[in-house]
Amino acid sequence: MAAGGAGVGNKTYSFKVVLLGEGCVGKTSLVLRYCENKFNDKHITTLQASFLTKKLNIGGKRVNLAIWDTAGQERFHALGPIYYRDSNGAILVYDITDEDSFQKVKNWVKELRKMLGNEICLCIIIGNKIDLEKERHVSVQDAEGYAESVGAKHYHTSAKLNKGIEELFLDLCKRMIETAQADERAKGNGSSQSGTGRRGVQIVDDEPPNAAAAGGGCCSSG
């Protein structure tokens, strides 16, 4: 997918964002709430992947967003690379009431780093279901500390209460635009940039302990 969009003149950008995470963490609910402002209490199992689109206007720039919602079940795990390989942004979702789903996010970070290396897309880690705060099993400190250690931004969301979702997508879109513009400038300067619409930024593994001090991250700091 051409991440830079339809050119600089009319300021239209087309971005692909992929949601990754275990089953039942609320990925589909987040996408439906953001794109269609719908919420369903019943869990809907995603088979393989589906996507929804949303058109935005951010600072006079038109953005066409394709959001891919991937299946969380283990048997579909191998399909992940098909969806995230050419994405501009990744949203890694865990359920704040489910410690195991948070550990699985760490596995996704390693997977992205292994598969994409320097071509890693911008990423955000989300603690979903804050409407169930009383049942929280993943501490805010642990989650935000981990996200910082791998250079990701962290958000708390609730599809049920419609909290945090608009903010995280707006933030991600702004950073994807910045990345695309940086690529456009690099190409204009005659730089041979690999990848379309994203810089080669590194994701830092959470191991070894000194990795965080080595610089880089799975998202740009801008």
Side-chain angles (χ1 to χ4, degrees), residues 105-116:
V105 160
K106 297 181 180 181
N107 293 344
W108 276 113
V109 167
K110 291 175 184 175
E111 174 93 353
L112 286 167
R113 182 174 186 258
K114 182 175 72 176
M115 295 296 297
L116 300 179

Side-chain angles (χ1 to χ4, degrees), residues 12-27:
T12 297
Y13 295 90
S14 294
F15 295 124
K16 175 181 175 181
V17 174
V18 63
L19 271 75
L20 301 168
E22 282 300 281
C24 302
V25 297
K27 299 187 297 298

Side-chain angles (χ1 to χ4, degrees), residues 113-192:
R113 182 174 186 258
K114 182 175 72 176
M115 295 296 297
L116 300 179
N118 287 350
E119 297 222 347
I120 185 66
C121 45
L122 299 172
C123 72
I124 287 179
I125 294 173
I126 292 179
N128 192 33
K129 303 189 184 180
I130 55 170
D131 48 287
L132 301 175
E133 184 66 38
K134 290 178 181 175
E135 299 169 42
R136 175 185 284 276
H137 282 110
V138 180
S139 78
V140 173
Q141 187 176 1
D142 285 352
E144 293 184 346
Y146 171 72
E148 187 177 352
S149 77
V150 295
K153 285 202 172 186
H154 186 279
Y155 279 88
H156 277 105
T157 59
S158 168
K160 186 173 185 176
L161 303 177
N162 197 13
K163 285 193 173 179
I165 302 171
E166 291 279 347
E167 294 87 340
L168 81 90
F169 276 105
L170 180 61
D171 176 45
L172 183 57
C173 284
K174 284 180 177 177
R175 290 193 291 134
M176 289 190 296
I177 289 171
E178 288 171 7
T179 300
Q181 289 176 329
D183 278 358
E184 289 162 4
R185 286 194 295 271
K187 285 169 187 164
N189 294 335
S191 168
S192 60

